[in-house]
Amino acid sequence: MISKAKVGSEELNSCFEKLLMVAAGNSGVGVRMEAAVITEWKDIPMELLLRIVSLVDDRTAIVASGVCCGWRDAICFGLTQLSLSWCKKNMNNLVLSLAPKFIRLQTLILRQENPQLEDNAVEAIANFCHDMQELDLSKSFKLSDHSLYALARGCPNITKLNISGCTSFSDGALEYLTNFCQKLKILNLCGCVKAATDRALQAIGRNCKMLQSLNLGWCDNVGDIGVMSLAYGCPDLKCLDLCGCVRITDDSVIALADKCLHLRSLDLYYCRNITDRAMYSLAHSRVNNKPSLWQSMEGRYDEEGLRSLNISQCTALTPPAVQTLCDTFPALHTCSGRHTLVMSGCLSLTSVHCACAVQAHRTLNTIPHTAH
């Protein structure tokens, strides 16, 4: 571990050479500053060191922090973003080692292919990294509710949290987190079946008023009560992924249409209880809210409203309702290369086309054919 052993001289020399090459623009020559030539790692001023560290990969930055006390203090104090996703083994021990040193971290990416993180690592982050704003713990299958309790107490300024795939978290722990982390703007709960329930969504709607993006993909315990609580409590919501939330009905979409006037992206994949009522409510919200929301915004009307909608496998929908929605939101496209209105598996909707697709078809038909 970096904290328990001195970095070998060969590794230090290699690290030093790499840093100097970055600073010299890969020229391989010494770096000059104020008429002095830097030939040894001890000669590098702290400002230059931090500039160099910002250009190298995170692994090299961590190695550099072990060179000497001066480098360690400078790098640990100056580094605010770090990704350890490259660490395939012993990530948990690495976090335990680094958290007490990198106390100024604001962004930490701990995405894993194989689960490594345990609760004590997250507790270390919460105990030392109080400025944390963005944290990615996705696929941390070993974590329990203790991690969410620790984050709630130690990192109340988090604005972006990814705990997708953390299947052991409960809705009670998530509710507790929202009581403290009320600045959340982006939250990924994809696959968190136990945590993402109506109870948790009610707490999010009650506490996280600034929420803009929420992923609830494949959280099949989510129902109308939860989504409606979100709609009423999070008016700034722009992106919502409800794919696989099989329990929701038109009531959820109607609430979103009425209350979330800034909604840009909505994923309803495999929500088979969704009917034409939901589509018409989205279309009508555009018309009804135009005077209040887009007054004095001439020229930007086409930029507002839904820009992405996935209704794949929503087999109860009919062409008139979806075509009305498509006509209402010019940013929804069915044409090749854009496809912001996704309707896979809806064989009855093959006649639905966006305006530019229709125009392209008309243009093609008006081109005179050369006689053979």
Side-chain angles (χ1 to χ4, degrees), residues 280-301:
Y280 285 123
S281 69
L282 288 170
H284 291 161
S285 70
R286 164 81 161 184
V287 176
N288 294 338
N289 293 315
K290 180 183 176 182
S292 60
L293 187 61
W294 295 288
Q295 191 174 17
S296 76
M297 295 179 68
E298 186 176 357
R300 293 185 56 188
Y301 179 66

Side-chain angles (χ1 to χ4, degrees), residues 286 294 297 299-307 328-331:
R286 164 81 161 184
W294 295 288
M297 295 179 68
R300 293 185 56 188
Y301 179 66
D302 288 346
E303 299 178 8
E304 301 295 337
L306 276 178
R307 303 182 65 84
T328 305
F329 295 101

Side-chain angles (χ1 to χ4, degrees), residues 221-276:
N221 286 322
V222 169
D224 288 333
I225 294 177
V227 177
M228 292 171 69
S229 298
L230 280 175
Y232 283 90
C234 306
D236 292 332
L237 200 60
K238 295 181 179 180
C239 301
L240 181 60
D241 191 334
L242 295 170
C243 74
C245 296
V246 295
R247 293 177 53 201
I248 68 168
T249 69
D250 293 337
D251 291 341
S252 290
V253 179
I254 292 171
L256 291 168
D258 289 342
K259 301 299 179 180
C260 299
L261 306 183
H262 304 286
L263 194 64
R264 299 292 184 85
S265 176
L266 180 61
D267 194 330
L268 298 171
Y269 173 77
Y270 214 79
C271 297
R272 295 194 167 184
N273 292 324
I274 300 300
T275 72
D276 290 350

Side-chain angles (χ1 to χ4, degrees), residues 125-182:
I125 294 170
N127 289 335
F128 295 101
C129 305
H130 300 301
D131 294 333
M132 190 66 64
Q133 295 180 18
E134 300 183 13
L135 181 61
D136 188 338
L137 300 174
S138 53
K139 297 184 179 180
S140 298
F141 303 126
K142 294 183 178 181
L143 298 183
S144 72
D145 286 349
H146 293 293
S147 290
L148 293 188
Y149 293 140
L151 289 175
R153 294 188 295 267
C155 303
N157 295 317
I158 286 182
T159 60
K160 182 178 180 179
L161 179 63
N162 186 348
I163 54 174
S164 60
C166 297
T167 53
S168 296
F169 292 151
S170 70
D171 56 355
L174 183 57
E175 178 182 13
Y176 184 86
L177 179 79
T178 65
N179 288 329
F180 295 86
C181 301
Q182 298 189 3

